[in-house]
Amino acid sequence: MATTKINPSGLYDSTPFGFSHAAVQDGGKVLHLAGQVAWDADCNVVGVGDFAAQVDKALANIAAVLSHSGLGPSDVVRLRTYIVDNDMERLGAVVGALKRFYGDETPAPNTVIGVQSLALPDFLVEIEATAQFRD
C-alpha cells in the first residue's frame, strides 16, 4: 500500500536527515509521526539545557504536524516519550506539558522511556505520536 509523507512547511526540513515528520497510508486512517524534538524551523535547538522548554517545543511540533493533517490532540491514540537521564523532576515537566497540550481532552496512552542519549547531544527529550483520522 502506498503512503503519503507529511512535511509541514512551518517545521524544519527533515528530509535531508533521512526522515519525514509523518506518514499516512493512502486510504488509511492512521497518521504515524516521527519523534519530535526541540528543533525550530531552522534546525536550532529551542531551550538548550532547559528540559521543560524542550518538552513544550516537541509537543508544539507534534501539534503542527497534526494541524497540517487536519487533526488535533484529541486524535492522538499513542505517545512514546524518550527522556535523557529521566528523573521525577523531568517526568513532572512532561506531565505538566501534556496537560497543556491536551487541555480538556482525555490524554492518549503514553510510554515514558529513560534513555542515555538522543540523536544530538543538546536534545533532552523526543516524543513520538500516532493519531487516527476521524470517519
Side-chain angles (χ1 to χ4, degrees):
M1 179 176 280
T3 60
T4 299
K5 305 305 188 288
I6 308 292
N7 290 295
S9 60
L11 294 181
Y12 61 92
D13 183 6
S14 63
T15 58
F17 300 101
F19 68 95
S20 290
H21 285 281
V24 62
Q25 291 174 320
D26 291 343
K29 299 285 185 182
V30 178
L31 179 70
H32 302 275
L33 283 77
Q36 294 296 315
V37 294
W39 257 358
D40 67 12
D42 297 317
C43 297
N44 297 308
V45 177
V46 173
V48 173
D50 184 340
F51 182 78
Q54 288 199 22
V55 174
D56 286 337
K57 181 57 177 164
L59 288 170
N61 287 347
I62 287 172
V65 175
L66 292 171
S67 178
H68 178 85
S69 303
L71 301 173
S74 64
D75 300 303
V76 174
V77 296
R78 182 83 163 104
L79 290 177
R80 282 181 192 84
T81 303
Y82 301 90
I83 300 173
V84 174
D85 299 327
N86 188 27
D87 62 26
M88 289 306 293
E89 183 178 325
R90 287 188 170 185
L91 188 56
V94 170
V95 170
L98 287 172
K99 286 180 181 180
R100 292 187 298 278
F101 175 75
Y102 284 113
D104 293 332
E105 299 294 332
T106 301
N110 182 16
T111 299
V112 175
I113 305 158
V115 297
Q116 183 176 357
S117 64
L118 293 167
L120 294 177
D122 286 334
F123 293 155
L124 302 175
V125 64
E126 183 168 339
I127 305 172
E128 295 178 354
T130 304
Q132 184 166 344
F133 290 94
R134 300 175 192 182
D135 289 327

